[in-house]
Amino acid sequence: MRELNGQDMIDVLYGCAVLGTGGGGPLASGLELINPFLNSGKKLKLIKLNEIPDEEYIATPYGCGAPSAEGNPKFSKLKVSKKTPPVMAIEACEAALGKKIYAVGSTELGGGNTAEALYAALELNLPLIDADPAGRSVPELQHSSYFVKDVPIYPLGVASKYGDKIFISSVQNDFRAEDIVRSIAVASDNIVGVADHVNKGKVIKEALIPDMISYAQEIGVLLRKSKESNKDVSRSIVDAKKGKILFKGKVVDFPWETRDGFNFGEIHLIGMEDYSGDKYKIWFKNENIISYKNNTVDVTVPDLICMIGEDGEPITTPNFGIGKIMTVFALPAPDIWKTEKGLACFGPKHFGFDIDYEPFK
């Protein structure tokens, strides 16, 4: 076990925002969420998988949905709880099961959603697990190493920001859970808190991708130090983490919509510098899923399509507009996503593209 101080936690969230591939929630929201703990000097306990007791219970808290920028006026008269929805979702599980949660884990690496796990750990004084079931951000609940390794998503708790708490003791499969939770989100201004995969340590630690919080922290440190020394952030990250620069350009079109609890859209870029005269397009479903250079497929999930602005800051969707200048780069997916079952779950064909996955070169 090691302790993370305030700067460590900030580095983790910056790294997670890079690995969020446009999704995973806004970094600013994640930093704001944990800011009270940063100001208090509280430290976060980070534990390795082999440090989790076999018989203790673990939960995975996070936010699910795609909140609209304007908000829906029909919810304006509802009181908003002072507790975060993921914390309330943990409480729903503890109350229903009569068990205390020993530690929490992230559901994905993203500036907002990983912050939810950090917040829950700090608020409830629990350790955070140095592991992750995605190794990046992902749009759907079944996009998880838990699913690939046949660990059930239930029991799970769901809570809205209005204080509604729901406990689901059983569900037929992860796809059904996705539909149910997404429906609750749509009925709750498109966002809910979830605490799922509530299970014993001996099950959880066999299903996760190890050391992913440390990996995110390493990327966050690279980003911070590159900015401090006026180096190219994207180049520093790809050189250290076996990635590849894909494109640099300006956003010239950005059509998107919120539908069925997801953000769908395209990012259209025209090239700059080494890419002058070229065009690039990214199709996203919350996260960047597939990209095209000059109308030819370039990179697809499960590999990561990441975006960094001119200022060295990670970019999340839809928090930018036409005229934004960005560098797009790829990072390799965790190995579990490159297996037959991993690709069936989270390859390009899952999203309706008749394309075989090929790792970027």
Side-chain angles (χ1 to χ4, degrees), residues 186-220:
V186 170
S188 305
D189 204 16
N190 279 327
I191 187 72
V192 289
V194 183
D196 65 19
H197 294 95
V198 179
N199 213 318
K200 291 184 177 182
K202 62 185 178 183
V203 175
I204 297 299
K205 60 189 179 183
E206 295 299 321
L208 294 175
I209 305 167
D211 304 323
M212 291 310 299
I213 299 298
S214 292
Y215 178 73
Q217 185 183 0
E218 290 167 6
I219 290 177

Coordinates of all heavy atoms in Angstrom, one line a residue, residues 186-220:
V186 N -31.6 8.2 -18.1 CA -32.4 9.1 -18.9 C -33.5 9.7 -18.1 O -33.9 10.9 -18.3 CB -33.0 8.3 -20.1 CG1 -34.1 9.0 -20.8 CG2 -31.9 7.9 -21.0
A187 N -34.0 9.0 -17.1 CA -35.1 9.5 -16.2 C -34.5 10.4 -15.1 O -35.3 10.9 -14.3 CB -35.9 8.4 -15.6
S188 N -33.3 10.7 -15.1 CA -32.6 11.4 -14.0 C -31.7 12.5 -14.6 O -30.5 12.6 -14.1 CB -31.9 10.5 -13.1 OG -32.7 9.4 -12.6
D189 N -32.1 13.2 -15.6 CA -31.3 14.2 -16.3 C -30.0 13.6 -16.9 O -29.0 14.3 -16.9 CB -30.9 15.4 -15.3 CG -30.6 16.7 -16.0 OD1 -31.0 16.8 -17.2 OD2 -30.0 17.6 -15.4
N190 N -30.1 12.4 -17.4 CA -29.1 11.7 -18.1 C -27.8 11.4 -17.3 O -26.8 11.1 -17.9 CB -28.7 12.5 -19.4 CG -29.7 12.3 -20.5 OD1 -30.2 11.2 -20.7 ND2 -29.9 13.3 -21.3
I191 N -27.9 11.3 -16.0 CA -26.7 10.9 -15.2 C -27.2 10.3 -13.9 O -28.1 10.7 -13.3 CB -25.8 12.1 -14.9 CG1 -24.5 11.7 -14.3 CG2 -26.6 13.2 -14.1 CD1 -23.6 11.0 -15.2
V192 N -26.5 9.1 -13.6 CA -26.7 8.5 -12.3 C -25.4 8.0 -11.8 O -24.4 7.9 -12.5 CB -27.7 7.2 -12.4 CG1 -29.1 7.7 -12.7 CG2 -27.2 6.3 -13.5
G193 N -25.4 7.7 -10.5 CA -24.2 7.0 -9.9 C -24.5 5.6 -9.8 O -25.7 5.1 -9.6
V194 N -23.5 4.8 -10.0 CA -23.6 3.3 -9.9 C -22.5 2.8 -9.0 O -21.4 3.3 -9.0 CB -23.4 2.7 -11.3 CG1 -23.6 1.2 -11.3 CG2 -24.4 3.3 -12.3
A195 N -22.8 1.7 -8.3 CA -21.7 0.9 -7.6 C -22.0 -0.5 -8.0 O -23.0 -1.1 -7.5 CB -21.8 1.1 -6.1
D196 N -21.2 -1.1 -8.8 CA -21.5 -2.5 -9.3 C -20.4 -3.4 -9.0 O -19.4 -3.1 -8.3 CB -21.8 -2.4 -10.8 CG -20.7 -2.0 -11.7 OD1 -19.5 -2.1 -11.3 OD2 -21.0 -1.6 -12.9
H197 N -20.5 -4.7 -9.5 CA -19.6 -5.8 -9.3 C -19.2 -5.9 -7.8 O -18.1 -6.0 -7.4 CB -18.3 -5.6 -10.1 CG -18.6 -5.7 -11.6 ND1 -18.8 -4.6 -12.4 CD2 -18.6 -6.8 -12.4 CE1 -19.0 -5.0 -13.6 NE2 -18.9 -6.3 -13.7
V198 N -20.2 -5.8 -6.9 CA -20.0 -5.9 -5.5 C -19.7 -7.4 -5.2 O -20.6 -8.2 -5.3 CB -21.2 -5.4 -4.7 CG1 -20.9 -5.5 -3.2 CG2 -21.5 -3.9 -5.0
N199 N -18.5 -7.7 -4.9 CA -18.1 -9.1 -4.7 C -16.9 -9.2 -3.8 O -16.3 -8.2 -3.4 CB -17.8 -9.7 -6.1 CG -18.1 -11.1 -6.2 OD1 -17.9 -11.9 -5.3 ND2 -18.7 -11.5 -7.4
K200 N -16.5 -10.4 -3.5 CA -15.4 -10.6 -2.6 C -14.1 -10.4 -3.3 O -14.0 -10.6 -4.5 CB -15.5 -12.1 -2.0 CG -16.6 -12.3 -1.1 CD -16.6 -13.7 -0.5 CE -17.7 -13.9 0.5 NZ -17.6 -15.3 1.2
G201 N -13.1 -10.1 -2.5 CA -11.8 -9.8 -3.0 C -11.2 -10.9 -3.8 O -10.6 -10.6 -4.9
K202 N -11.4 -12.1 -3.5 CA -10.8 -13.2 -4.2 C -11.4 -13.3 -5.6 O -10.7 -13.9 -6.5 CB -11.1 -14.5 -3.5 CG -12.5 -14.9 -3.3 CD -12.6 -16.2 -2.4 CE -14.1 -16.6 -2.2 NZ -14.2 -17.8 -1.3
V203 N -12.6 -12.8 -5.9 CA -13.1 -12.7 -7.2 C -12.6 -11.5 -8.0 O -12.2 -11.6 -9.1 CB -14.7 -12.8 -7.1 CG1 -15.3 -12.6 -8.5 CG2 -15.2 -14.0 -6.5
I204 N -12.7 -10.4 -7.3 CA -12.4 -9.1 -7.9 C -10.9 -9.1 -8.4 O -10.6 -8.7 -9.5 CB -12.6 -7.9 -6.9 CG1 -14.1 -7.9 -6.6 CG2 -12.1 -6.6 -7.5 CD1 -15.0 -7.6 -7.7
K205 N -10.0 -9.5 -7.6 CA -8.6 -9.3 -7.9 C -8.1 -10.3 -9.0 O -7.0 -10.0 -9.6 CB -7.7 -9.5 -6.7 CG -7.7 -10.8 -6.0 CD -7.0 -10.7 -4.7 CE -7.0 -11.9 -3.8 NZ -6.3 -11.7 -2.5
E206 N -8.9 -11.2 -9.4 CA -8.6 -12.1 -10.6 C -9.1 -11.5 -11.9 O -8.8 -12.1 -12.9 CB -9.1 -13.5 -10.3 CG -8.5 -14.2 -9.2 CD -7.0 -14.4 -9.3 OE1 -6.6 -14.7 -10.5 OE2 -6.3 -14.3 -8.4
A207 N -9.9 -10.5 -11.8 CA -10.7 -10.0 -13.0 C -10.2 -8.6 -13.5 O -10.5 -8.3 -14.6 CB -12.2 -9.9 -12.6
L208 N -9.3 -7.9 -12.7 CA -9.0 -6.6 -13.1 C -7.6 -6.5 -13.8 O -6.8 -7.4 -13.7 CB -8.9 -5.7 -11.8 CG -10.2 -5.5 -11.1 CD1 -10.0 -4.7 -9.8 CD2 -11.2 -4.7 -12.0
I209 N -7.4 -5.4 -14.5 CA -6.1 -5.1 -15.2 C -5.3 -4.4 -14.1 O -5.6 -3.3 -13.6 CB -6.3 -4.2 -16.4 CG1 -7.3 -4.8 -17.4 CG2 -5.0 -4.0 -17.1 CD1 -7.8 -3.9 -18.4
P210 N -4.1 -5.0 -13.7 CA -3.4 -4.5 -12.6 C -2.6 -3.2 -12.9 O -2.3 -2.9 -14.1 CB -2.4 -5.6 -12.3 CG -2.2 -6.3 -13.6 CD -3.6 -6.2 -14.2
D211 N -2.4 -2.4 -11.9 CA -1.5 -1.2 -11.9 C -1.9 -0.1 -12.8 O -1.1 0.7 -13.2 CB -0.1 -1.7 -12.3 CG 0.5 -2.8 -11.4 OD1 0.2 -2.7 -10.2 OD2 1.2 -3.7 -11.9
M212 N -3.2 0.0 -13.1 CA -3.6 1.0 -14.1 C -3.7 2.4 -13.5 O -3.6 3.4 -14.2 CB -5.0 0.6 -14.6 CG -5.0 -0.6 -15.5 SD -3.7 -0.6 -16.8 CE -4.2 0.9 -17.8
I213 N -4.0 2.5 -12.2 CA -3.9 3.9 -11.5 C -2.5 4.4 -11.6 O -2.3 5.6 -11.8 CB -4.5 3.8 -10.1 CG1 -6.0 3.3 -10.1 CG2 -4.4 5.2 -9.4 CD1 -6.9 4.2 -10.9
S214 N -1.5 3.5 -11.3 CA -0.1 3.9 -11.4 C 0.2 4.3 -12.8 O 1.0 5.3 -13.0 CB 0.8 2.8 -10.9 OG 0.6 2.6 -9.5
Y215 N -0.3 3.6 -13.8 CA 0.0 3.9 -15.2 C -0.6 5.3 -15.5 O 0.1 6.1 -16.2 CB -0.7 2.8 -16.1 CG -0.6 3.0 -17.6 CD1 0.6 2.8 -18.2 CD2 -1.7 3.4 -18.3 CE1 0.7 3.0 -19.6 CE2 -1.6 3.5 -19.7 CZ -0.4 3.3 -20.3 OH -0.3 3.5 -21.7
A216 N -1.8 5.6 -15.1 CA -2.4 6.9 -15.3 C -1.6 8.0 -14.6 O -1.3 9.1 -15.2 CB -3.8 6.9 -14.8
Q217 N -1.1 7.7 -13.4 CA -0.3 8.7 -12.7 C 1.0 9.0 -13.5 O 1.5 10.1 -13.6 CB 0.1 8.2 -11.3 CG 0.8 9.2 -10.5 CD 1.2 8.7 -9.1 OE1 0.9 7.6 -8.8 NE2 1.9 9.6 -8.3
E218 N 1.6 7.9 -14.1 CA 2.8 8.1 -14.9 C 2.6 9.0 -16.1 O 3.4 9.9 -16.4 CB 3.4 6.8 -15.4 CG 3.9 5.9 -14.3 CD 4.1 4.4 -14.7 OE1 3.9 4.2 -15.9 OE2 4.5 3.6 -13.9
I219 N 1.4 8.9 -16.7 CA 1.1 9.7 -17.9 C 0.9 11.2 -17.4 O 1.3 12.1 -18.0 CB -0.1 9.2 -18.6 CG1 0.3 7.9 -19.4 CG2 -0.7 10.2 -19.6 CD1 -0.8 7.2 -20.1
G220 N 0.2 11.3 -16.2 CA -0.1 12.6 -15.7 C 1.2 13.3 -15.3 O 1.4 14.6 -15.6

